[in-house]
């Protein structure tokens, strides 16, 4: 953990460089010292079927979620979420200046008991870092 997920309207397919966004997000999260690098994952999910507002204009959206494991206090989570949203807003501002765009972001904390993982990446990074 954490996992960064961006759901986006299909009409943004050619307008957003998600790899660039993910590089910025992963670098930020890894640089906080709060999250292990081997657990950070980012992905985008294109939403082909959507409707926004009155449906009369070329509206677009990106809704992002950061799922984090439990155990960090609210102040820490809020500090990370606020700083990350500032980066997200800066990333999307040029596109927002050009078109109608809704940007949303939420951080969710996963249940400490009902969250299961298996990962050999942490050991790899430890041995090869």
């Amino acid at each position: 953990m954490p996992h960064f997920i961006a759901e986006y309207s299909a009409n943004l397919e050619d307008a957003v460089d998600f790899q660039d966004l993910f590089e910025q997000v992963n670098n930020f999260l890894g640089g906080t010292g709060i999250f292990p690098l081997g657990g950070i994952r980012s992905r985008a999910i294109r939403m082909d079927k959507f409707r926004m507002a009155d449906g009369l204009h070329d509206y677009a959206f990106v809704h992002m979620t950061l799922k984090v494991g439990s155990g960090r206090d609210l102040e820490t989570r809020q500090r990370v979420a606020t700083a990350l949203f500032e980066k997200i807003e800066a990333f999307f501002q040029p596109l927002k200046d050009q078109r109608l765009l809704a940007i949303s972001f939420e951080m969710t904390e996963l249940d400490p008991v009902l969250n299961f993982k298996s990962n050999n990446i942490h050991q790899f990074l430890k041995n090869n870092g």
Side-chain angles (χ1 to χ4, degrees):
M1 287 287 154
H3 290 205
F4 181 78
I5 303 160
E7 298 176 342
Y8 67 98
S9 55
N11 58 352
L12 291 178
E13 181 67 27
D14 296 326
V16 178
D17 182 351
F18 282 102
Q19 290 298 75
D20 183 23
L21 175 63
F22 297 157
E23 181 178 357
Q24 292 182 41
V25 167
N26 286 29
N27 287 343
F28 168 75
L29 293 173
T32 64
I34 297 169
F35 305 104
L37 183 61
I40 301 171
R41 293 165 183 74
S42 293
R43 57 191 173 272
I45 302 167
R46 177 180 153 149
M47 308 306 285
D48 289 318
K49 306 220 184 298
F50 68 94
R51 181 179 172 98
M52 293 184 64
D54 56 15
L56 298 176
H57 302 280
D58 188 28
Y59 303 115
F61 74 87
V62 181
H63 174 70
M64 291 147 285
T65 305
L66 182 65
K67 295 183 179 189
V68 300
S70 66
R72 294 165 188 92
D73 62 63
L74 177 60
E75 182 181 327
T76 299
R77 287 181 283 138
Q78 185 173 13
R79 188 175 68 248
V80 169
T82 299
L84 182 54
F85 188 63
E86 289 172 3
K87 292 187 174 306
I88 289 167
E89 282 192 300
F91 178 86
F92 283 104
Q93 190 59 52
L95 186 59
K96 201 170 163 190
D97 290 342
Q98 298 172 6
R99 64 168 307 136
L100 296 167
L101 178 63
I103 302 165
S104 56
F105 169 71
E106 66 178 324
M107 178 187 281
T108 60
E109 184 180 40
L110 299 174
D111 186 283
V113 176
L114 300 175
N115 180 21
F116 306 91
K117 312 181 203 39
S118 178
N119 181 340
N120 64 0
I121 298 169
H122 297 287
Q123 189 63 42
F124 173 82
L125 289 174
K126 182 179 175 184
N127 293 338
N128 296 293

